[in-house]
Amino acid sequence: MRPKLVAANWKMHGSRAMTAQLLGALRDRPPRCEVAVFPPFPYLAQAVELAGQAVSIGAQDVSAHAQGAYTGEVSAAMLADFGARWVLVGHSERRQYHHEDDVLVTAKLERALEQGLSPILCVGETLAERERGEAEVVLARQLATPLHLLGERAADLTIAYEPVWAIGTGRTATAAQAQDAHAFIRSQFAARDAKLSRLIRVLYGGSVKAANAADLFSQPDVDGGLVGGAALDADEFLAICAAAR
Ligand code: 13P
């Protein structure tokens, strides 16, 4: 049995006041499922301080380097030092706007794992790739380098399937589309390690809302969600958490 995880990716939204308000709501009304919150870097320390027992905190990105002259970068050791538990790696917005490729993404996963952080590796196809019938090819490619280079350490990954065409568009994958993609992702692990493929958690992300969460989360291979816009509203996010049973 894989426990459900609901993760909130705030992206580049927030303020000290919003951090206090959203984490205060989660502390006052603790969700029954596992919850991880990913604020922007400047709010990490505040978020760690305010998170109750029920919530853990993560960063939206991490440097591929351990330390050194890399202006503007934040290392995995720094995140661990601030009490972060999780880190998102390879989000499509990083791949698209910062040209992150699978080798760089894998280096970031390695730095995170070295520091005992739990990385959430984000994968997903664009609309053009889906329309060309290439969704599975893209998912297989995005998983191949990390799985090959990490070997047994891949057991410590969580995967987020985030079809690019569903992110911030209001156009959610149907529960059946999500299930198909998640089963395919799991099959990529099964090819290497059958036990791991049963244990690895695969979250769905892309326009998750209270109205569609229960349908998505009821699919056998959907182990929770990575929520963007809807995570900025405490009531909406708590309703999504309540759908994760
Ligand atoms: P939305 O929920 O706003 O579509 O964002 C999804 C996402 O990218 C989470 O990482």
PDB file of all heavy atoms in Angstrom, residues 75-95:
ATOM      1  N   SER A  75      22.512  25.130  -2.695  1.00  0.00           N
ATOM      2  CA  SER A  75      22.942  23.724  -2.654  1.00  0.00           C
ATOM      3  C   SER A  75      21.986  22.848  -1.844  1.00  0.00           C
ATOM      4  O   SER A  75      21.237  23.340  -0.984  1.00  0.00           O
ATOM      5  CB  SER A  75      24.350  23.624  -2.049  1.00  0.00           C
ATOM      6  OG  SER A  75      24.288  23.864  -0.652  1.00  0.00           O
ATOM      7  N   ALA A  76      22.093  21.563  -2.088  1.00  0.00           N
ATOM      8  CA  ALA A  76      21.288  20.591  -1.333  1.00  0.00           C
ATOM      9  C   ALA A  76      21.641  20.637   0.146  1.00  0.00           C
ATOM     10  O   ALA A  76      20.762  20.506   1.009  1.00  0.00           O
ATOM     11  CB  ALA A  76      21.506  19.189  -1.895  1.00  0.00           C
ATOM     12  N   ALA A  77      22.933  20.860   0.450  1.00  0.00           N
ATOM     13  CA  ALA A  77      23.349  20.921   1.862  1.00  0.00           C
ATOM     14  C   ALA A  77      22.665  22.096   2.566  1.00  0.00           C
ATOM     15  O   ALA A  77      22.278  21.992   3.735  1.00  0.00           O
ATOM     16  CB  ALA A  77      24.866  21.050   1.956  1.00  0.00           C
ATOM     17  N   MET A  78      22.534  23.231   1.849  1.00  0.00           N
ATOM     18  CA  MET A  78      21.862  24.394   2.447  1.00  0.00           C
ATOM     19  C   MET A  78      20.391  24.079   2.721  1.00  0.00           C
ATOM     20  O   MET A  78      19.847  24.439   3.763  1.00  0.00           O
ATOM     21  CB  MET A  78      21.964  25.606   1.519  1.00  0.00           C
ATOM     22  CG  MET A  78      23.368  26.128   1.351  1.00  0.00           C
ATOM     23  SD  MET A  78      23.410  27.324   0.000  1.00  0.00           S
ATOM     24  CE  MET A  78      25.177  27.589  -0.103  1.00  0.00           C
ATOM     25  N   LEU A  79      19.750  23.397   1.787  1.00  0.00           N
ATOM     26  CA  LEU A  79      18.337  23.051   1.974  1.00  0.00           C
ATOM     27  C   LEU A  79      18.178  22.137   3.186  1.00  0.00           C
ATOM     28  O   LEU A  79      17.292  22.345   4.027  1.00  0.00           O
ATOM     29  CB  LEU A  79      17.786  22.361   0.718  1.00  0.00           C
ATOM     30  CG  LEU A  79      17.791  23.208  -0.554  1.00  0.00           C
ATOM     31  CD1 LEU A  79      17.265  22.395  -1.730  1.00  0.00           C
ATOM     32  CD2 LEU A  79      16.964  24.472  -0.367  1.00  0.00           C
ATOM     33  N   ALA A  80      19.067  21.149   3.293  1.00  0.00           N
ATOM     34  CA  ALA A  80      19.004  20.229   4.429  1.00  0.00           C
ATOM     35  C   ALA A  80      19.265  20.987   5.731  1.00  0.00           C
ATOM     36  O   ALA A  80      18.611  20.745   6.756  1.00  0.00           O
ATOM     37  CB  ALA A  80      20.015  19.096   4.238  1.00  0.00           C
ATOM     38  N   ASP A  81      20.203  21.940   5.666  1.00  0.00           N
ATOM     39  CA  ASP A  81      20.559  22.738   6.846  1.00  0.00           C
ATOM     40  C   ASP A  81      19.353  23.521   7.374  1.00  0.00           C
ATOM     41  O   ASP A  81      19.219  23.759   8.573  1.00  0.00           O
ATOM     42  CB  ASP A  81      21.675  23.707   6.408  1.00  0.00           C
ATOM     43  CG  ASP A  81      22.420  24.313   7.583  1.00  0.00           C
ATOM     44  OD1 ASP A  81      22.396  23.724   8.663  1.00  0.00           O
ATOM     45  OD2 ASP A  81      23.037  25.380   7.391  1.00  0.00           O
ATOM     46  N   PHE A  82      18.468  23.930   6.458  1.00  0.00           N
ATOM     47  CA  PHE A  82      17.280  24.695   6.861  1.00  0.00           C
ATOM     48  C   PHE A  82      16.099  23.801   7.211  1.00  0.00           C
ATOM     49  O   PHE A  82      14.994  24.294   7.438  1.00  0.00           O
ATOM     50  CB  PHE A  82      16.872  25.669   5.747  1.00  0.00           C
ATOM     51  CG  PHE A  82      17.532  27.016   5.893  1.00  0.00           C
ATOM     52  CD1 PHE A  82      18.715  27.286   5.244  1.00  0.00           C
ATOM     53  CD2 PHE A  82      16.982  27.986   6.717  1.00  0.00           C
ATOM     54  CE1 PHE A  82      19.354  28.510   5.395  1.00  0.00           C
ATOM     55  CE2 PHE A  82      17.603  29.213   6.880  1.00  0.00           C
ATOM     56  CZ  PHE A  82      18.792  29.475   6.218  1.00  0.00           C
ATOM     57  N   GLY A  83      16.300  22.502   7.210  1.00  0.00           N
ATOM     58  CA  GLY A  83      15.234  21.600   7.613  1.00  0.00           C
ATOM     59  C   GLY A  83      14.288  21.223   6.481  1.00  0.00           C
ATOM     60  O   GLY A  83      13.204  20.688   6.738  1.00  0.00           O
ATOM     61  N   ALA A  84      14.693  21.499   5.236  1.00  0.00           N
ATOM     62  CA  ALA A  84      13.868  21.042   4.112  1.00  0.00           C
ATOM     63  C   ALA A  84      13.980  19.523   4.015  1.00  0.00           C
ATOM     64  O   ALA A  84      15.041  18.950   4.272  1.00  0.00           O
ATOM     65  CB  ALA A  84      14.329  21.676   2.809  1.00  0.00           C
ATOM     66  N   ARG A  85      12.895  18.884   3.663  1.00  0.00           N
ATOM     67  CA  ARG A  85      12.937  17.422   3.525  1.00  0.00           C
ATOM     68  C   ARG A  85      12.886  17.010   2.047  1.00  0.00           C
ATOM     69  O   ARG A  85      13.424  15.996   1.647  1.00  0.00           O
ATOM     70  CB  ARG A  85      11.753  16.847   4.298  1.00  0.00           C
ATOM     71  CG  ARG A  85      11.359  15.509   3.828  1.00  0.00           C
ATOM     72  CD  ARG A  85      10.903  14.554   4.888  1.00  0.00           C
ATOM     73  NE  ARG A  85      10.735  13.290   4.217  1.00  0.00           N
ATOM     74  CZ  ARG A  85       9.587  12.657   4.114  1.00  0.00           C
ATOM     75  NH1 ARG A  85       8.530  13.112   4.717  1.00  0.00           N
ATOM     76  NH2 ARG A  85       9.508  11.534   3.439  1.00  0.00           N
ATOM     77  N   TRP A  86      12.201  17.831   1.232  1.00  0.00           N
ATOM     78  CA  TRP A  86      11.938  17.460  -0.154  1.00  0.00           C
ATOM     79  C   TRP A  86      12.592  18.441  -1.116  1.00  0.00           C
ATOM     80  O   TRP A  86      12.900  19.566  -0.736  1.00  0.00           O
ATOM     81  CB  TRP A  86      10.435  17.542  -0.441  1.00  0.00           C
ATOM     82  CG  TRP A  86       9.569  16.660   0.383  1.00  0.00           C
ATOM     83  CD1 TRP A  86       8.990  16.971   1.580  1.00  0.00           C
ATOM     84  CD2 TRP A  86       9.165  15.324   0.074  1.00  0.00           C
ATOM     85  NE1 TRP A  86       8.247  15.911   2.028  1.00  0.00           N
ATOM     86  CE2 TRP A  86       8.332  14.891   1.127  1.00  0.00           C
ATOM     87  CE3 TRP A  86       9.423  14.462  -0.990  1.00  0.00           C
ATOM     88  CZ2 TRP A  86       7.754  13.627   1.140  1.00  0.00           C
ATOM     89  CZ3 TRP A  86       8.845  13.203  -0.967  1.00  0.00           C
ATOM     90  CH2 TRP A  86       8.026  12.787   0.083  1.00  0.00           C
ATOM     91  N   VAL A  87      12.699  18.034  -2.381  1.00  0.00           N
ATOM     92  CA  VAL A  87      13.056  19.006  -3.419  1.00  0.00           C
ATOM     93  C   VAL A  87      12.440  18.565  -4.753  1.00  0.00           C
ATOM     94  O   VAL A  87      12.429  17.367  -5.068  1.00  0.00           O
ATOM     95  CB  VAL A  87      14.594  19.176  -3.524  1.00  0.00           C
ATOM     96  CG1 VAL A  87      15.313  17.902  -3.943  1.00  0.00           C
ATOM     97  CG2 VAL A  87      14.951  20.312  -4.472  1.00  0.00           C
ATOM     98  N   LEU A  88      11.887  19.541  -5.474  1.00  0.00           N
ATOM     99  CA  LEU A  88      11.396  19.255  -6.830  1.00  0.00           C
ATOM    100  C   LEU A  88      12.590  19.319  -7.782  1.00  0.00           C
ATOM    101  O   LEU A  88      13.407  20.231  -7.681  1.00  0.00           O
ATOM    102  CB  LEU A  88      10.379  20.312  -7.284  1.00  0.00           C
ATOM    103  CG  LEU A  88       9.094  20.468  -6.486  1.00  0.00           C
ATOM    104  CD1 LEU A  88       8.225  21.568  -7.122  1.00  0.00           C
ATOM    105  CD2 LEU A  88       8.322  19.160  -6.447  1.00  0.00           C
ATOM    106  N   VAL A  89      12.651  18.367  -8.699  1.00  0.00           N
ATOM    107  CA  VAL A  89      13.743  18.359  -9.679  1.00  0.00           C
ATOM    108  C   VAL A  89      13.155  18.128 -11.067  1.00  0.00           C
ATOM    109  O   VAL A  89      12.302  17.251 -11.253  1.00  0.00           O
ATOM    110  CB  VAL A  89      14.787  17.265  -9.334  1.00  0.00           C
ATOM    111  CG1 VAL A  89      15.879  17.203 -10.401  1.00  0.00           C
ATOM    112  CG2 VAL A  89      15.418  17.533  -7.967  1.00  0.00           C
ATOM    113  N   GLY A  90      13.597  18.943 -12.018  1.00  0.00           N
ATOM    114  CA  GLY A  90      13.188  18.735 -13.415  1.00  0.00           C
ATOM    115  C   GLY A  90      11.768  19.170 -13.714  1.00  0.00           C
ATOM    116  O   GLY A  90      11.131  18.646 -14.655  1.00  0.00           O
ATOM    117  N   HIS A  91      11.241  20.142 -12.938  1.00  0.00           N
ATOM    118  CA  HIS A  91       9.907  20.655 -13.276  1.00  0.00           C
ATOM    119  C   HIS A  91       9.916  21.154 -14.719  1.00  0.00           C
ATOM    120  O   HIS A  91      10.921  21.698 -15.191  1.00  0.00           O
ATOM    121  CB  HIS A  91       9.517  21.775 -12.304  1.00  0.00           C
ATOM    122  CG  HIS A  91       8.076  22.158 -12.409  1.00  0.00           C
ATOM    123  ND1 HIS A  91       7.604  22.957 -13.429  1.00  0.00           N
ATOM    124  CD2 HIS A  91       7.002  21.819 -11.659  1.00  0.00           C
ATOM    125  CE1 HIS A  91       6.287  23.091 -13.284  1.00  0.00           C
ATOM    126  NE2 HIS A  91       5.896  22.411 -12.224  1.00  0.00           N
ATOM    127  N   SER A  92       8.800  21.020 -15.406  1.00  0.00           N
ATOM    128  CA  SER A  92       8.774  21.392 -16.842  1.00  0.00           C
ATOM    129  C   SER A  92       9.111  22.867 -17.045  1.00  0.00           C
ATOM    130  O   SER A  92       9.650  23.242 -18.092  1.00  0.00           O
ATOM    131  CB  SER A  92       7.418  21.071 -17.453  1.00  0.00           C
ATOM    132  OG  SER A  92       6.406  21.827 -16.831  1.00  0.00           O
ATOM    133  N   GLU A  93       8.811  23.711 -16.030  1.00  0.00           N
ATOM    134  CA  GLU A  93       9.156  25.132 -16.183  1.00  0.00           C
ATOM    135  C   GLU A  93      10.665  25.330 -16.109  1.00  0.00           C
ATOM    136  O   GLU A  93      11.205  26.236 -16.746  1.00  0.00           O
ATOM    137  CB  GLU A  93       8.396  25.960 -15.122  1.00  0.00           C
ATOM    138  CG  GLU A  93       6.906  26.015 -15.460  1.00  0.00           C
ATOM    139  CD  GLU A  93       5.969  26.141 -14.275  1.00  0.00           C
ATOM    140  OE1 GLU A  93       6.427  26.462 -13.163  1.00  0.00           O
ATOM    141  OE2 GLU A  93       4.759  25.904 -14.468  1.00  0.00           O
ATOM    142  N   ARG A  94      11.365  24.483 -15.363  1.00  0.00           N
ATOM    143  CA  ARG A  94      12.839  24.512 -15.353  1.00  0.00           C
ATOM    144  C   ARG A  94      13.371  23.954 -16.679  1.00  0.00           C
ATOM    145  O   ARG A  94      14.317  24.483 -17.252  1.00  0.00           O
ATOM    146  CB  ARG A  94      13.402  23.667 -14.204  1.00  0.00           C
ATOM    147  CG  ARG A  94      12.962  24.018 -12.819  1.00  0.00           C
ATOM    148  CD  ARG A  94      13.547  25.265 -12.248  1.00  0.00           C
ATOM    149  NE  ARG A  94      14.925  25.521 -12.570  1.00  0.00           N
ATOM    150  CZ  ARG A  94      15.517  26.721 -12.383  1.00  0.00           C
ATOM    151  NH1 ARG A  94      14.842  27.726 -11.874  1.00  0.00           N
ATOM    152  NH2 ARG A  94      16.780  26.899 -12.704  1.00  0.00           N
ATOM    153  N   ARG A  95      12.766  22.890 -17.166  1.00  0.00           N
ATOM    154  CA  ARG A  95      13.238  22.303 -18.434  1.00  0.00           C
ATOM    155  C   ARG A  95      13.023  23.295 -19.574  1.00  0.00           C
ATOM    156  O   ARG A  95      13.880  23.477 -20.442  1.00  0.00           O
ATOM    157  CB  ARG A  95      12.482  21.003 -18.734  1.00  0.00           C
ATOM    158  CG  ARG A  95      12.772  19.868 -17.737  1.00  0.00           C
ATOM    159  CD  ARG A  95      11.950  18.637 -18.100  1.00  0.00           C
ATOM    160  NE  ARG A  95      11.947  17.609 -17.082  1.00  0.00           N
ATOM    161  CZ  ARG A  95      12.710  16.519 -17.089  1.00  0.00           C
ATOM    162  NH1 ARG A  95      13.563  16.312 -18.070  1.00  0.00           N
ATOM    163  NH2 ARG A  95      12.621  15.630 -16.125  1.00  0.00           N
TER     164      ARG A  95
END
